Amino acid sequence: MGNIFEFKQFSVNQEGCAMRINTDGVLLGAMTDHSNVSSVLDIGTGTGVIALMMAQKFPNAHVYAVEIDKQASERAKENFENSSFSERLTIINSDIFQWENDMRFDLIVSNPPFYINSLHNPDQRRKVAKHTDVEFFQGMFKFAADHLEQHGSLQIIVPVELLDKLIEEGKSNGLHLQKQIDIQSFTDSQPFRSILSFGRENLKLVQDNFIIYKERSQHSDSYKTILKPYFLAF
């Protein structure tokens, strides 16, 4: 994959970014769903791709994107400025937990670092981008509890192994799992990611699954449908 990834309504320059555009990110961006969205926060925006997808999906929303890595935040800023959504996109180069603000958001999204307690990548920038400890998720849920509007939603994509831990962490911050979409490569394979939606209301859990491929190297119709508004290939 080259440095420039062309979407239907914007392009993303990935040069110098520790984490490039990946399936997790575009699935979260495409499958995020919420009503009456006027403010969105993308935690750990990287190249800015999810924030750009949010700006396309929610045409009346202002999208804020926080990124701790300075080089990545500068690249995201460039991508934002080169898009037709530039007036509705704001980049913040900061650790999310050190970003002092009193804002509230209708929607908070994140393709967060993960692999808790796993072997950390020796490259420091990729380590920050791709790995974390349990404290990150504790902090993220606390931040969401403090900054979500009353009917706001926190939506994240994570490995299925983290599900129980995150449900408990959400509850301890007054956020309940409201929707769970399990991601599978094929119909006969086990889920490897889950898109989780948390909110303040303790609603009946909505569960679904999503298949990426109908056969090897051939995307499912569902995958093509949700990414058709974004991908040139579809």
Side-chain angles (χ1 to χ4, degrees), residues 71-83:
Q71 188 171 346
S73 69
E74 290 174 351
R75 187 65 66 198
K77 183 175 186 290
E78 173 190 304
N79 292 329
F80 292 173
E81 290 174 345
N82 289 336
S83 78

Side-chain angles (χ1 to χ4, degrees), residues 1 64 83 110 118 121 150 161:
M1 183 186 296
Y64 297 84
S83 78
S110 184
S118 68
N121 191 302
Q150 181 59 34
E161 293 83 2

